């Protein structure tokens, strides 16, 4: 019996030591995993920053029937065959050259444009705020680039599809909760397009602990791309639209689809929150050309003012000026947390040929 007890104690000691070794090994693995996870996030962020936290692209739409015929319909845009970041525009007899991060010609595909966006979706899942929008005159092709037809979707559908694909790809390591809200800014008023009263004016408030929020805003949890599309369709039906001579379907407000991603790492318990802001801007237009009057004139003036403010903010951020005029419009004030700091911003400047 004494020898048996001694043998049992020896086995117990060996089992305890083995368990201790396994526990230590697991702790080492978790520590190494955390380190690798941080490195992957760091290197991906550095890659995005090499391209620039604020990127400005240009896309030239093809010639369409509405361009008309004759001298007034002649093409004034040309490209540099050696540099895909330069576009030339003939204006009042003078050729002007503009340098951007990338220029997409009339022949560029939706897939080519989205390839410039794909890396930003990864950044959103890494906990960064992303803002993507198209900027340009009414009729310049913003809606096609951002939304596109169902047979050839634009940035919005492709980005959301990539987001959910990556969520599924990471589901062994991360659990995610995804919520969406949809707002519009109409005549400098913020409206909740998913609320019971879309005409109700909402305010932008500052949190006690810092950061902005919109009290009373409706948040809807989604599980897949189809869920987002159902929510967005409700918002589209509530959005302010009206007719102008520039574009009979021209939207008269800025619409913001904001996707918030909250993630928790299964192994380490680390938490992240990222936002993907997909912004459909109202079209800028010259008041005398659109023949707007009355309410339409007021709308056009407010649209142009907010787009000008957005341009000023982008210029200030890109040139690293000490003061950024976020408060000059509701659009930039609402988006400031997704425009400055370590956020990633992509602007597609749409132009007619």
């Amino acid at each position: 019996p004494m020898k048996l007890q001694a043998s049992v104690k020896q086995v117990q000691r060996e089992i305890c030591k083995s368990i201790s070794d396994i526990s230590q090994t697991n702790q080492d693995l978790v520590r190494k995993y955390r380190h690798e996870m941080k490195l992957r996030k760091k290197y991906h962020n550095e890659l995005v920053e090499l391209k620039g936290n604020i990127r400005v692209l240009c896309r030239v739409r093809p010639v369409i029937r509405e361009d008309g015929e004759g001298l007034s319909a002649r093409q004034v845009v040309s490209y540099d065959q050696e540099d895909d970041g330069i576009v030339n525009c003939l204006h009042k007899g003078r050729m002007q050259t503009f340098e951007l991060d990338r220029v997409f010609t009339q022949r560029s595909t939706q897939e080519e444009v989205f390839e410039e966006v794909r890396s930003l979706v990864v950044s959103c899942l890494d906990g960064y705020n992303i803002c993507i929008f198209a900027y340009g005159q009414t009729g310049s092709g913003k809606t096609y680039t951002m939304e596109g037809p169902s047979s050839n979707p634009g940035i919005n559908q492709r980005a959301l599809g990539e987001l959910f694909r990556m969520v599924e790809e990471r589901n062994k390591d991360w659990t995610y909760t995804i919520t969406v809200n949809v707002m519009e800014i109409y005549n400098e008023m913020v409206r909740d397009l998913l609320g019971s009263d879309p005409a109700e004016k909402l305010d932008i408030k500052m949190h006690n602990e810092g950061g902005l929020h919109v009290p009373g805003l409706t948040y809807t949890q989604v599980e897949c791309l189809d869920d987002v599309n159902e929510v967005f369709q409700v918002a589209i039906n509530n959005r302010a639209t009206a007719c102008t001579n520039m574009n009979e379907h021209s939207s008269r407000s800025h619409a913001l689809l904001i996707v918030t991603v909250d993630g928790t790492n299964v192994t380490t318990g680390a938490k992240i929150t990222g936002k993907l802001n997909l912004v459909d801007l109202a079209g800028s237009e010259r008041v005398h050309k659109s023949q707007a009057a009355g309410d339409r004139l007021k709308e056009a003036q407010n649209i142009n003012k907010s787009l000008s403010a957005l341009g000023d903010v982008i210029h200030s951020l890109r040139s690293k000026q000490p003061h950024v005029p976020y408060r000059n419009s509701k659009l930039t004030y609402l988006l400031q947390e997704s425009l400055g700091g370590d956020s990633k911003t992509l602007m597609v400047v749409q132009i007619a040929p």
Side-chain angles (χ1 to χ4, degrees):
M2 296 292 292
K3 287 183 178 180
L4 182 59
Q5 287 180 356
S7 297
V8 170
K9 287 182 179 179
Q10 178 64 27
V11 171
Q12 286 176 335
R13 282 194 295 270
E14 290 177 358
I15 291 174
C16 288
K17 185 177 183 303
S18 296
I19 292 173
S20 177
D21 290 344
I22 292 172
S23 178
Q24 184 62 44
T25 301
N26 284 342
Q27 289 178 12
D28 290 341
L29 287 173
V30 169
R31 187 168 61 251
K32 289 178 181 177
Y33 173 76
R34 283 177 173 166
H35 179 66
E36 292 300 322
M37 187 174 66
K38 287 180 180 178
L39 282 179
R40 187 208 60 76
K41 179 178 177 179
K42 175 175 178 285
Y43 291 147
H44 176 77
N45 191 49
E46 286 178 352
L47 178 63
V48 172
E49 286 182 343
L50 281 174
K51 289 185 173 182
N53 274 353
I54 299 176
R55 306 196 69 217
V56 182
L57 315 179
C58 175
R59 189 179 192 185
V60 185
R61 70 153 169 78
V63 176
I64 57 176
R65 183 185 60 197
E66 285 80 2
D67 289 334
E69 298 177 351
L71 189 62
S72 62
R74 65 174 178 159
Q75 296 191 40
V76 296
V77 174
S78 60
Y79 313 101
D80 189 315
Q81 300 301 318
E82 306 298 326
D83 190 337
D84 65 1
I86 290 178
V87 63
N88 304 304
C89 298
L90 182 65
H91 180 63
K92 294 183 178 179
R94 292 178 56 239
M95 185 64 73
Q96 295 180 300
T97 298
F98 300 90
E99 187 172 347
L100 303 103
D101 292 299
R102 176 79 187 272
V103 175
F104 294 98
T105 71
Q106 290 125 300
R107 296 182 178 179
S108 297
T109 64
Q110 300 279 60
E111 290 86 354
E112 289 173 333
V113 175
F114 177 67
E115 281 305 313
E116 292 291 325
V117 178
R118 190 185 298 274
S119 62
L120 297 181
V121 178
V122 179
S123 293
C124 177
L125 289 177
D126 284 343
Y128 293 96
N129 291 344
I130 311 300
C131 194
I132 303 172
F133 40 46
Y135 180 98
Q137 265 195 313
T138 299
S140 61
K142 296 187 303 298
T143 300
Y144 182 83
T145 292
M146 293 301 290
E147 296 180 20
S150 57
S151 59
N152 191 17
I155 288 174
N156 287 0
Q157 288 292 301
R158 293 175 190 270
L160 290 168
E162 181 72 3
L163 178 74
F164 284 104
R165 187 192 69 78
M166 294 198 66
V167 165
E168 183 67 25
E169 190 178 272
R170 295 185 179 189
N171 65 3
K172 291 182 180 178
D173 301 316
W174 291 83
T175 58
Y176 291 101
T177 301
I178 301 177
T179 56
V180 299
N181 56 67
V182 188
M183 288 176 279
E184 78 167 349
I185 299 175
Y186 174 73
N187 280 347
E188 286 297 285
M189 295 183 293
V190 180
R191 294 171 170 175
D192 180 5
L193 293 182
L194 300 179
S196 56
D197 181 11
E200 182 184 359
K201 179 182 176 183
L202 301 180
D203 294 319
I204 305 170
K205 300 287 188 180
M206 185 73 73
H207 275 299
N208 292 332
E209 60 273 18
L212 298 172
H213 73 120
V214 180
L217 188 63
T218 304
Y219 289 82
T220 304
Q221 187 169 333
V222 293
E223 302 291 339
C224 62
L225 179 57
D226 288 341
D227 289 349
V228 179
N229 288 336
E230 284 182 19
V231 169
F232 194 52
Q233 188 58 50
V234 173
I236 288 173
N237 294 337
N238 290 327
R239 191 176 174 191
T241 58
C243 173
T244 72
N245 284 3
M246 290 287 287
N247 184 348
E248 62 181 359
H249 301 294
S250 173
S251 173
R252 312 311 306 143
S253 64
H254 308 304
L256 296 83
L257 171 63
I258 302 175
V259 183
T260 303
V261 180
D262 293 301
T264 303
N265 188 278
V266 175
T267 305
T268 66
K271 296 181 182 294
I272 61 95
T273 297
K275 284 186 180 180
L276 177 61
N277 301 274
L278 299 169
V279 185
D280 184 6
L281 294 173
S284 65
E285 53 191 50
R286 293 177 181 173
V287 172
H288 73 276
K289 192 173 181 181
S290 65
Q291 297 180 18
D295 289 343
R296 299 290 85 81
L297 175 61
K298 181 182 177 183
E299 290 170 356
Q301 291 171 335
N302 277 312
I303 289 167
N304 290 344
K305 178 185 174 183
S306 64
L307 291 176
S308 176
L310 177 60
D312 291 341
V313 165
I314 296 295
H315 174 72
S316 298
L317 290 169
R318 284 202 64 152
S319 57
K320 301 188 186 308
Q321 294 182 9
H323 173 68
V324 181
Y326 291 116
R327 289 178 174 267
N328 285 0
S329 82
K330 288 287 177 64
L331 176 68
T332 51
Y333 187 47
L334 185 63
L335 288 175
Q336 72 176 78
E337 293 176 346
S338 296
L339 292 173
D342 58 3
S343 301
K344 324 294 178 189
T345 301
L346 181 76
M347 177 189 283
V348 184
V349 178
Q350 289 283 155
I351 62 173

